[in-house]
Amino acid sequence: MGSETIKTGRLANGETQKNGHKESRGLSSNGMNGKHGNFGSNRAGTSSSCEDDVLMMNMEDVDGNLDGDIAPVVVCKKARQGDLTFQDIHGNKDFFDEDDEDDSDWEPVQKHVELIKWFCVNCTMVNLGDGVVCDLCGEHKDSGILRLGYFASPSSQDTGCSEVESEMKGKNKEMHSQHSASNSSTAIGFDERMLLHSEVQMKSHPHPERSDRLRAIAASLATAGLFPGRCYPISAREITQEELQMVHSLEHIQAVELTSHIFSSYFTPDTYANEHSARAARLAAGLCADLASTIFSGRVKNGFAMVRPPGHHAGVREAMGFCLHNNAAVAALAVQAAGAKKVLIVDWDVHHGNGTQEIFDQNKSVLYISLHRHEGGKFYPGTGSANEVGRNGAEGSCVNIPWSRGGVGDNDYIFAFQNLVIPIVLVIPWSNQFSLWVMKIQYGLLVWHKVISSFEVINVSSKPHAVVLFDVLITGVVFVISCHGMFNILSLFSDLYATEFAPDFTIISAGFDAARGDPLGCCDVTPAGYSQMADMLYTLSGGKLLVILEGGYNLRSISSSATAVIKVLLGEGPVSELGNIAPSRAGLQTVLEVMKIQMNFWSSLGSSYAKLQSQWGAYCNTRKQIKKRQRTEPPIWWKWGRKRLLYHILIRRLHVKSKGQPSLHSS
């Protein structure tokens, strides 16, 4: 209902003015508050209440007694000879003092409207007003995502009991009869003490790296009956300082430990810590190290580290990007200490793992491959260009696939996996290596046969002994040089085929902030896309695979994507098979740029690069033809005007030309 402020006249004895509020239909004298107090209170030195001082008139009374152009009036005047009637006021204008008309010091009543503001539980974005659905992600402000995970309805309030919950319980009973955690091949590391790591004082809105991220994933796994249930739990331990010093400097470790004595602190404006953060970081790193060792030993086949704070931005000497200790680096060195020679780290977080790259860019035994938004260094943290390939003799140990824009989806990621990631790390079949050795032996026998034949040609009886010895010596030298040279060539040929990394252990830095709906990543990868990528890495390293949680700040996206990846680890396969993979123009260009650089270190990319380059040229030419055709098409209004004959002639000619041109295929 609208309201209007009505001014009261000034009292003859100098009392302060009062304000009243008018409702839409009329005026009320009950409970009216003014700028300086309440109208219902008595004043000192008066013989009657303010109800006698204030005359309230209904709009209907005004219309019935006055002309229609007279506005309603509120009069504050001491009635010395009794109450004034409406007619008395109208007929005795001189009864009032002249200063009653002075309203120069009148001020309107300032109505304070309280602005309703709430933060979305799913994406943390601020919402204004009394709405119940987030304007950005569409999540209900009281949804059950923290209780049921992504299975909860996004648009309805959590009532504590739902059909989804009862349905999932029935399915879980059937699964438990077939599977159990005791014989599970997948381990999960989680500890509730990591939930205590939080920002003490909220700034403009809740910090995206919050404990609800783990709660949503845990709720989704519990609702799906995966954990607890089908996955094997790994107990957490705090990593030791000696283990951390294999990755970080002592100064960095001490700086993180110092936060346990401080109520609230920050390493960078967005990297917070409280008194529980150092312990949470030690637990996260310890879980990753133990999971890696357990998987490599064969006690479990693979695992998922549900940990926080994340780690791939943490470098040798500094914490940044929400990260304190580098969990993936700790796991890689732990598994190498357990006996692994080569470790592959695939980082599909939307941000480049600058910390992981810094730790391993001089280490040939660890191959780091990152797919991330880069945009020419404008996207955080600004590192990870395609030219960063490793250094000091370890060139080729870093493979950066930097997307040039946001909105990158499943097709671009899968295309990069098919043409870059898998060809680099693929293990050459034993039969191919055996064939190379057969070729070497065959060539050696052939050379030996030629040498024996050359000895038979030598006529010893007709030549002096010195000449014979010289011929034998020359023939022997030629034989040795030939064998050595050809064996070197064949060895080089074999090495070219063996340059594929063939890792003994695979780690995924699984940030889910490239997922659809993430407020920071702004990309478009779906749970089906994540499950496809996990499935492509599943068979590497004999199945020895560890997935470590990194980023991801939309609870629905991170929980559904993590669940899809864990199902792949359990052997269920991808969520859905993607059809024909057609990359975007920008995605294809990025892949080609990376291949051109990395083929200097991974020669198996050469043939793929030539093939894709030809497809890229055809793609560009086809787009130019389409644009040229669009420019030459006549205006559509010619079709119905005097130029309709010319319109049909031009259109027919364009159609005839287009029939002879090859069409673009998305293969």
Side-chain angles (χ1 to χ4, degrees):
M1 297 177 66
S3 63
E4 182 180 345
T5 303
I6 307 299
K7 177 190 174 294
T8 63
R10 177 173 296 179
L11 298 180
N13 59 1
E15 291 180 337
T16 55
Q17 63 184 13
K18 297 180 176 66
N19 297 315
H21 294 281
K22 184 183 72 175
E23 296 190 4
S24 60
R25 293 195 177 186
L27 297 172
S28 173
S29 62
N30 296 328
M32 299 180 65
N33 293 322
K35 181 177 177 182
H36 301 289
N38 193 303
F39 273 105
S41 61
N42 294 331
R43 303 183 66 87
T46 60
S47 58
S48 61
S49 66
C50 191
E51 294 178 357
D52 299 328
D53 298 341
V54 181
L55 177 61
M56 297 298 181
M57 295 170 295
N58 194 290
M59 186 69 73
E60 296 176 357
D61 297 332
V62 176
D63 294 338
N65 296 284
L66 300 177
D67 295 335
D69 58 343
I70 300 177
V73 180
V74 178
V75 179
C76 287
K77 184 71 179 176
K78 196 68 180 177
R80 299 175 182 174
Q81 298 178 354
D83 295 338
L84 295 177
T85 65
F86 209 18
Q87 289 80 0
D88 294 333
I89 298 172
H90 181 66
N92 298 278
K93 297 181 179 179
D94 296 335
F95 181 81
F96 302 97
D97 296 332
E98 291 182 0
D99 60 353
D100 290 337
E101 301 298 330
D102 183 14
D103 58 354
S104 60
D105 60 346
W106 176 83
E107 295 180 3
V109 174
Q110 295 181 357
K111 185 176 180 180
H112 297 281
V113 179
E114 184 178 356
L115 186 63
I116 301 176
K117 182 173 70 172
W118 57 277
F119 299 96
C120 177
V121 66
N122 180 48
C123 66
T124 73
M125 291 296 104
V126 63
N127 291 267
L128 303 178
D130 55 356
V132 296
V133 176
C134 178
D135 295 331
L136 180 63
C137 67
E139 190 80 16
H140 195 282
K141 64 187 300 184
D142 296 320
S143 73
I145 191 167
L146 294 179
R147 192 174 64 87
L148 298 175
Y150 74 95
F151 294 100
S153 173
S155 58
S156 60
Q157 183 177 5
D158 183 26
T159 58
C161 182
S162 64
E163 296 180 359
V164 174
E165 191 173 7
S166 57
E167 181 181 352
M168 293 304 299
K169 285 182 179 180
K171 290 182 179 180
N172 293 342
K173 288 182 180 179
E174 297 179 2
M175 290 183 180
H176 291 165
S177 62
Q178 301 175 359
H179 308 277
S180 63
S182 60
N183 56 12
S184 174
S185 60
T186 300
I188 288 187
F190 173 69
D191 193 287
E192 290 185 349
R193 289 173 289 180
M194 290 183 289
L195 302 177
L196 299 176
H197 168 63
S198 63
E199 188 176 37
V200 174
Q201 185 176 3
M202 187 183 75
K203 296 182 179 179
S204 59
H205 59 81
H207 199 285
E209 205 297 286
R210 60 207 188 278
S211 57
D212 285 348
R213 298 170 61 241
L214 294 192
R215 291 190 180 98
I217 297 176
S220 298
L221 298 179
T223 305
L226 302 180
F227 180 76
R230 296 175 57 189
C231 297
Y232 180 77
I234 293 289
S235 58
R237 72 168 177 91
E238 298 180 27
I239 198 164
T240 63
Q241 179 174 310
E242 290 73 19
E243 291 173 291
L244 283 177
Q245 282 188 269
M246 297 174 64
V247 175
H248 299 290
S249 66
L250 180 60
E251 293 78 12
H252 169 81
I253 299 171
Q254 292 174 344
V256 174
E257 291 302 315
L258 183 61
T259 63
S260 60
H261 306 289
I262 304 174
F263 182 68
S264 176
S265 58
Y266 286 84
F267 290 96
T268 66
D270 62 358
T271 306
Y272 64 82
N274 65 3
E275 54 190 341
H276 305 288
S277 299
R279 188 180 194 184
R282 292 195 303 270
L283 287 168
L287 268 171
C288 293
D290 289 351
L291 272 170
S293 302
T294 303
I295 294 169
F296 188 75
S297 66
R299 283 177 282 175
V300 294
K301 188 173 183 180
N302 49 53
F304 187 95
M306 194 163 58
V307 295
R308 62 181 295 267
H312 72 148
H313 290 306
V316 175
R317 296 177 180 84
E318 63 178 339
M320 61 179 292
F322 314 161
C323 304
L324 302 186
H325 294 322
N326 198 305
N327 302 319
V330 169
L333 295 182
V335 76
Q336 283 190 331
K341 295 181 179 179
K342 295 181 180 181
V343 178
L344 167 67
I345 301 177
V346 177
D347 189 341
W348 67 43
D349 190 284
V350 76
H351 303 96
H352 177 243
N354 56 304
T356 308
Q357 177 173 299
E358 178 195 0
I359 294 168
F360 292 118
D361 67 348
Q362 302 182 64
N363 190 336
K364 283 185 176 182
S365 64
V366 177
L367 173 62
Y368 177 69
I369 302 178
S370 176
L371 304 92
H372 53 272
R373 277 185 68 179
H374 187 251
E375 300 178 16
K378 297 179 181 179
F379 195 76
Y380 184 88
T383 56
S385 68
N387 292 318
E388 298 175 19
V389 297
R391 55 196 178 94
N392 293 342
E395 288 77 9
S397 62
C398 292
V399 180
N400 287 306
I401 306 173
W403 304 123
S404 60
R405 60 176 179 84
V408 183
D410 292 346
N411 284 3
D412 286 337
Y413 273 84
I414 301 301
F415 185 80
F417 262 67
Q418 291 175 342
N419 294 278
L420 270 172
V421 179
I422 299 303
I424 288 176
V425 302
L426 187 64
V427 180
I428 295 297
W430 179 83
S431 58
N432 290 359
Q433 296 184 15
F434 178 75
S435 300
L436 293 175
W437 281 106
V438 170
M439 290 174 60
K440 289 182 179 181
I441 295 173
Q442 288 177 344
Y443 181 79
L445 293 176
L446 178 63
V447 173
W448 180 255
H449 176 71
K450 291 293 183 181
V451 171
I452 296 300
S453 300
S454 63
F455 271 111
E456 293 177 354
V457 172
I458 298 175
N459 189 355
V460 179
S461 58
S462 61
K463 294 182 179 181
H465 293 290
V467 175
V468 172
L469 291 175
F470 179 78
D471 289 342
V472 171
L473 180 62
I474 293 298
T475 304
V477 170
V478 171
F479 169 73
V480 172
I481 293 176
S482 299
C483 289
H484 183 266
M486 184 53 64
F487 269 82
N488 283 340
I489 293 174
L490 288 176
S491 297
L492 178 62
F493 183 65
S494 176
D495 290 339
L496 289 177
Y497 277 82
T499 51
E500 284 71 13
F501 191 68
D504 302 312
F505 194 84
T506 302
I507 297 172
I508 301 177
S509 279
F512 296 108
D513 43 5
R516 178 179 297 173
D518 191 272
L520 299 188
C522 300
C523 286
D524 198 39
V525 182
T526 66
Y530 283 117
S531 63
Q532 283 281 351
M533 290 188 286
D535 186 65
M536 296 174 78
L537 299 173
Y538 179 75
T539 56
L540 297 177
S541 311
K544 295 183 174 70
L545 175 62
L546 171 60
V547 182
I548 300 175
L549 181 65
E550 297 286 358
Y553 310 103
N554 181 302
L555 300 189
R556 191 165 292 275
S557 300
I558 189 176
S559 57
S560 58
S561 301
T563 303
V565 169
I566 290 174
K567 287 183 177 180
V568 171
L569 298 182
L570 288 168
E572 294 188 14
V575 172
S576 61
E577 293 291 339
L578 297 178
N580 193 15
I581 301 300
S584 66
R585 188 168 181 261
L588 181 57
Q589 186 175 11
T590 298
V591 170
L592 283 172
E593 290 174 355
V594 176
M595 291 180 72
K596 185 176 181 180
I597 294 172
Q598 291 294 333
M599 62 187 293
N600 296 320
F601 316 106
W602 309 98
S603 58
S604 58
L605 298 176
S607 58
S608 299
Y609 175 75
K611 180 180 178 182
L612 290 180
Q613 193 176 32
S614 62
Q615 293 179 355
W616 172 248
Y619 185 46
C620 290
N621 293 335
T622 306
R623 288 186 63 86
K624 291 179 181 178
Q625 292 168 1
I626 293 173
K627 289 183 178 180
K628 183 177 180 180
R629 178 183 173 185
Q630 290 175 349
R631 288 195 300 266
T632 56
E633 283 185 357
I636 190 65
W637 57 82
W638 285 15
K639 187 176 181 180
W640 300 284
R642 289 180 297 177
K643 298 182 179 180
R644 59 182 178 273
L645 180 60
L646 179 61
Y647 174 85
H648 289 293
I649 292 175
L650 292 175
I651 289 295
R652 188 177 302 170
R653 186 176 298 174
L654 288 173
H655 282 305
V656 170
K657 287 184 177 180
S658 63
K659 287 181 180 179
Q661 295 174 353
S663 60
L664 174 64
H665 299 284
S666 58
S667 58

